[in-house]
Amino acid sequence: MIKKEQNDILTLGIETSCDETSVAVVKNGREVLSNIISSQIDIHKRFGGVVPEIASRNHTMAIINVLDQALTHANVKLDDIDAVAVTYGAGLVGALLVGVSAAKAISYLLDKPLIAVNHIRAHIAANYLNDSDLAPPFLCAVVSGGHTELVDVKDYTHYEILGSTLDDAAGEAFDKVARTLGLGYPGGPEIDKLAKQGKNNIEFFKTAKIISDDYNFSYSGLKTAVINYLHNARQREQEININDVCASFTYYALEPIVQKAFDAARELGYENIALAGGVAANSYLRQRFDETGKKYDINVYVPSLKLCTDNAAMVASMGYYNFINKVNIADLTLNAAPSL
Ligand code: KG4
Ligand code: ZN
């Protein structure tokens, strides 16, 4: 069995907000003892996106087995757990309810605190699992399938959102453009792969348009620009270089995030900047953050690929900080908050 010192706190994390059923055990908010992820991507692929009802049903079928595996891999018993942390929003309501119900049952059974975790805050906490030296304050760009936000992380449980998307999220734009290009779901990894072999040589926008003065983002115009480009090229029977479309789209989608995130970090005088969310797995974004960090002498933190996309270890880490700061301690009335 795992050696647990008297002051150690083990949090069980549960994540079912979208199409990953995940349970993890994390020690003292920083050390991943297990992080089991059962992905439904192959099930939803044939529909070109996540089907909410199918997602809920598959979470229900997977959750007990995933919990079992998480405890076994961590080499702990359910009794060793000190707090149960669960994503209660944002996400798909039926999917969230599976995790929330499981967490309530375990918390009741163990008579241990139930901690409600905001999914976006959990993505930010993925950085604490990767780098034991990272501590607030820092600037975090949260870029996922549902969110595109610049967050001033003032403390572990104290945040200010400086800007966000006015329409689609960045990941959503990757998925929609991929669908238009006839690529698979999820679109982000596919576009990432093809962009590496292409050139950024299609001007979807004038640069000034994507660098607005505030910290907000917009993706619907870019999505339309790519669709129009493809439509016109097909009508004129011009050859379309998909790799170049992917490279150019990636530039217009992600360069504003690089520029604005570093502008914000410099304005705040922060020495540290972090990336979070599924789109943080993008190789262009990771490289540009690295380069720009060196240019401005700002330390860049990026979670490992497994910790970028949805997983329960990040939920357990955020849950730990909520727990020790007495924030979001829930009870059996906890409900899913789909649009948190
Ligand atoms: O954080 P996440 O797993 O789920 C949400 O909370 O939304 O993010 C999923 C999103 C999808 O839109 C997917 O296409 C995108 O992250 N994504 C990527 C890459 N890997 C995943 N986008 C761009 N490049 C990638 N390599
Ligand atoms: Zn997510």
Side-chain angles (χ1 to χ4, degrees):
M1 280 288 142
I2 177 123
K3 199 157 181 299
K4 189 182 167 195
E5 306 292 339
Q6 208 177 4
N7 295 330
D8 283 344
I9 294 175
L10 295 187
T11 39
L12 185 77
I14 300 179
E15 159 64 42
T16 63
S17 67
C18 190
D19 57 349
E20 263 92 30
T21 316
S22 182
V23 180
V25 180
V26 167
K27 187 163 134 184
N28 300 329
R30 294 276 179 168
E31 193 185 332
V32 181
L33 302 186
S34 66
N35 187 19
I36 307 296
I37 304 166
S38 165
S39 176
Q40 302 176 15
I41 283 181
D42 286 341
I43 297 168
H44 298 282
K45 233 179 191 145
R46 73 187 102 132
F47 304 108
V50 178
V51 182
E53 179 57 33
I54 295 177
S56 323
R57 230 181 290 164
N58 281 283
H59 284 309
T60 309
M61 290 194 287
I63 188 88
I64 297 294
N65 187 25
V66 173
L67 168 66
D68 258 356
Q69 285 187 52
L71 295 171
T72 306
H73 277 243
N75 213 2
V76 299
K77 298 188 295 326
L78 210 44
D79 269 352
D80 298 322
I81 300 297
D82 298 293
V84 184
V86 62
T87 301
Y88 76 113
L92 303 168
V93 65
L96 287 164
L97 279 171
V98 178
V100 168
S101 307
K104 281 187 198 175
I106 297 166
S107 146
Y108 181 71
L109 180 76
L110 300 178
D111 195 20
K112 294 283 163 65
L114 176 67
I115 318 292
V117 172
N118 175 324
H119 184 77
I120 297 307
R121 309 282 175 261
H123 271 300
I124 296 172
N127 285 285
Y128 303 137
L129 299 167
N130 237 65
D131 289 277
S132 53
D133 58 331
L134 177 64
F138 59 91
L139 190 286
C140 189
V142 186
V143 200
S144 74
H147 289 79
T148 308
E149 287 178 354
L150 291 184
V151 183
D152 176 3
V153 183
K154 293 173 185 287
D155 208 333
Y156 287 102
T157 57
H158 186 196
Y159 307 80
E160 188 185 336
I161 295 171
L162 303 177
S164 56
T165 181
L166 302 173
D167 37 60
D168 290 351
E172 200 177 349
F174 270 84
D175 294 337
K176 285 179 178 169
V177 166
R179 200 179 311 164
T180 311
L181 289 168
L183 305 173
Y185 170 84
E190 297 284 331
I191 291 184
D192 194 355
K193 213 171 9 176
L194 300 180
K196 282 185 199 151
Q197 297 150 44
K199 290 192 199 77
N200 167 21
N201 57 8
I202 306 164
E203 199 178 355
F204 288 127
F205 277 133
K206 295 271 176 253
T207 306
K209 276 198 180 170
I210 59 168
I211 316 276
S212 58
D213 286 340
D214 58 21
Y215 290 131
N216 291 323
F217 304 93
S218 168
Y219 286 96
S220 67
L222 175 58
K223 188 186 65 194
T224 310
V226 177
I227 291 169
N228 287 345
Y229 171 84
L230 294 171
H231 186 69
N232 290 337
R234 280 173 192 143
Q235 271 195 335
R236 291 191 201 124
E237 293 181 1
Q238 277 170 358
E239 203 185 317
I240 297 167
N241 184 324
I242 291 199
N243 296 347
D244 291 350
V245 173
C246 290
S248 308
F249 164 74
T250 299
Y251 167 80
Y252 286 100
L254 301 182
E255 195 55 30
I257 297 174
V258 180
Q259 303 292 334
K260 293 183 188 210
F262 278 90
D263 280 356
R266 292 171 69 215
E267 197 178 307
L268 291 162
Y270 285 172
E271 289 171 3
N272 298 324
I273 194 165
L275 264 176
V279 185
N282 183 272
S283 46
Y284 174 87
L285 191 59
R286 295 168 87 92
Q287 186 192 332
R288 290 288 295 130
F289 259 64
D290 262 357
E291 289 167 3
T292 317
K294 286 192 185 104
K295 178 173 159 190
Y296 293 125
D297 203 14
I298 293 177
N299 304 314
V300 173
Y301 294 83
V302 185
S304 67
L305 291 184
K306 185 177 174 183
L307 291 173
C308 282
T309 43
D310 290 349
N311 69 88
M314 65 185 197
V315 178
S317 173
M318 191 60 235
Y320 167 83
Y321 287 105
N322 281 350
F323 178 54
I324 61 169
N325 290 295
K326 300 187 173 55
V327 171
N328 277 10
I329 310 291
D331 59 29
L332 296 181
T333 63
L334 178 67
N335 204 352
S339 47
L340 193 64

